[in-house]
Amino acid sequence: MDPVAFELFGIKVMWYGILISSGIIIGAILAFREARRINFDEETLIDLLLYAIPLSIVGARIYYVVFSWDYYSENLREIFHIRGGGLAIHGAIAAAVIVAVIFCKRRKVNFWKVVDICAPSIILGQAIGRWGNYINQEAHGGPTDLPWGIIVDGVKVHPTFLYESLWNFAVFFYLIWYRKNKQKVTGETFLLYLILYSVGRFLIEGLRTDSLMLGPIKVAQLVSIVLIGIAIVIFSYRRKKANRI
């Protein structure tokens, strides 16, 4: 597919941006629906998203640029060119969490309740946004003979964007079910999001050929392991603390 969806007043509108925006909008609608269900103030959620969404995009870009500095140090103007790709979800998550912590502290609202509302929306947005990688012919794996492989530059390769999108959709449905039927302590849905997404990302990242690297280590795999460990510890601590009360 042509990465350019259409032109508007001479400006090229990219499919990548359309898909990411669609994921954000659909995720936000879902979060508002959950807020209404649990009687959480929608205006407060709107205020949070007005800060978190743009700063998450900034965080995603900063993260990508930092771990691709060899290229961007010689192409400084490209740092601000995000329409063709170059956003890292781990940077977006980090920025969103920081914003949420500060926002919730100042507004005196429960941080864990807020992130539980948003967690399924985040993973759903990721599942949709991954298709932008397909259109840009990026975030794919190495050569494969599997029947579902895709052709990139004349080579049949693993569609790792597809693997991650399907995994994210599965995690999304599980989180919706868990939040409604099994959650015992606030924060569990968000922590499960971190754990389950990171498990899938670690495994799928091993197939990719365009990973951000820190020496010989794939950054996404390293971050995934750290997130899994931290989330499991916090999950267990909060569950045990609730049981003692």
Side-chain angles (χ1 to χ4, degrees), residues 75-218:
N75 300 273
L76 295 178
R77 291 184 179 179
E78 291 296 310
I79 291 175
F80 304 99
H81 181 65
I82 67 172
R83 292 191 300 154
L87 299 175
I89 187 60
H90 284 134
I93 294 171
V97 170
I98 292 170
V99 170
V101 168
I102 295 172
F103 179 89
C104 291
K105 185 176 181 179
R106 292 186 175 181
R107 291 292 185 92
K108 293 181 173 55
V109 296
N110 188 304
F111 167 80
W112 294 110
K113 181 179 289 188
V114 169
V115 292
D116 277 345
I117 291 172
C118 297
S121 297
I122 296 171
I123 196 74
L124 179 61
Q126 290 174 240
I128 296 170
R130 269 300 174 201
W131 287 87
N133 298 132
Y134 168 67
I135 295 172
N136 284 351
Q137 292 196 326
E138 60 188 7
H140 59 77
T144 181
D145 293 325
L146 293 171
W148 54 79
I150 59 173
I151 304 299
V152 176
D153 296 329
V155 180
K156 194 175 186 181
V157 298
H158 281 285
T160 47
F161 79 91
L162 173 62
Y163 301 162
E164 187 168 327
S165 180
L166 292 175
W167 176 259
N168 290 348
F169 275 121
V171 173
F172 163 73
F173 286 113
Y174 177 76
L175 293 180
I176 291 293
W177 173 83
Y178 184 90
R179 186 175 63 186
K180 184 177 180 180
N181 298 286
K182 292 293 183 179
Q183 179 161 296
K184 295 182 179 180
V185 182
T186 55
E188 288 187 349
T189 298
F190 175 70
L191 292 169
L192 280 174
Y193 155 68
L194 293 180
I195 294 167
L196 294 174
Y197 169 67
S198 296
V199 168
R201 181 60 186 270
F202 179 87
L203 297 174
I204 295 167
E205 193 71 19
L207 297 173
R208 285 181 56 171
T209 59
D210 62 345
S211 303
L212 299 176
M213 304 295 294
L214 184 62
I217 301 172
K218 292 189 174 186

Side-chain angles (χ1 to χ4, degrees), residues 8-56:
L8 185 64
F9 304 115
I11 299 175
K12 294 180 179 179
V13 179
M14 315 298 287
W15 278 113
Y16 184 82
I18 291 174
L19 286 164
I20 289 178
S21 299
S22 298
I24 291 172
I25 292 170
I26 294 171
I29 292 172
L30 181 69
F32 293 142
R33 181 178 177 181
E34 175 63 12
R36 287 193 296 270
R37 187 183 75 84
I38 65 173
N39 295 317
F40 184 86
D41 182 35
E42 288 183 67
E43 293 297 326
T44 299
L45 186 59
I46 290 172
D47 290 344
L48 171 60
L49 295 181
L50 288 175
Y51 289 111
I53 290 173
L55 290 175
S56 293

